Amino acid sequence: MTDEEIIEAFRNKRKDDIKKAVIRPKFGLYKEALQIVIFSLLIALTVIFCRSLRTWQYTILLTVVILLFLITQTKNIILLMIFMYQRFAPKTIRAACLFTPSCSEYMRISVLKYGVFKGVKKGFRRLRRCRPPNGGLDEP
């Protein structure tokens, strides 16, 4: 069997499997979303109330606040993006994953277990492998 025939057979099989149940997560990220909102308000307050400073002081202060936000909230932002994907992505896209757990769940677990940089790296490696003939059980 050629690669094209294998891929075509896989596509036909997947069309039948699309009807499988897509499990949507039932977890909330309220604490993380609240932290993001608080830091966003801090940036907005810095912009509004620190305009009386000299230009270079204002620029340095705003840069420090934004960097502090990015450093402390990167993990929460990534987890929030994964949550939004898992919650609102179309069923046809979510059901196409070949692995167990799904690629988005794998990335979420990896980010929680290994941290932002290593977890995202492991998640993207997994996404690159998510095509025929790969698949099956793959824990982070």
Side-chain angles (χ1 to χ4, degrees):
M1 220 172 176
T2 65
D3 289 342
E4 290 79 20
E5 291 172 336
I6 292 172
I7 292 172
E8 187 60 36
F10 176 78
R11 284 184 184 148
N12 290 336
K13 180 183 178 297
R14 291 309 279 166
K15 286 178 186 175
D16 297 333
D17 288 345
I18 291 296
K19 296 178 184 83
K20 74 178 182 180
V22 174
I23 299 170
R24 303 249 184 224
K26 292 189 178 184
F27 61 90
L29 294 175
Y30 301 113
K31 179 181 171 187
E32 290 81 3
L34 181 64
Q35 289 176 355
I36 291 171
V37 168
I38 289 171
F39 265 99
S40 299
L41 287 174
L42 180 63
I43 291 171
L45 291 174
T46 303
V47 168
I48 293 170
F49 292 116
C50 295
R51 290 213 178 250
S52 62
L53 298 174
R54 294 187 177 139
T55 305
W56 65 272
Q57 292 171 333
Y58 175 74
T59 306
I60 290 174
L61 180 63
L62 189 59
T63 304
V64 167
V65 170
I66 290 172
L67 285 176
L68 183 65
F69 170 75
L70 291 176
I71 290 169
T72 58
Q73 299 302 312
T74 304
K75 182 177 182 178
N76 293 336
I77 291 169
I78 289 172
L79 289 175
L80 188 61
M81 289 188 311
I82 293 170
F83 172 75
M84 296 300 281
Y85 167 77
Q86 289 178 337
R87 185 82 174 124
F88 299 112
K91 186 176 180 179
T92 55
I93 294 174
R94 291 282 318 278
C97 188
L98 303 174
F99 288 100
T100 302
S102 67
C103 293
S104 61
E105 187 65 19
Y106 181 90
M107 186 174 291
R108 187 182 75 79
I109 293 169
S110 294
V111 168
L112 290 172
K113 186 174 182 179
Y114 297 110
V116 175
F117 297 110
K118 191 172 180 182
V120 169
K121 184 178 175 182
K122 289 174 83 57
F124 279 122
R125 281 187 190 159
R126 166 78 173 267
L127 285 172
R128 283 197 326 240
R129 290 192 327 245
C130 193
R131 62 180 184 275
N134 299 327
L137 181 64
D138 184 22
E139 293 291 329

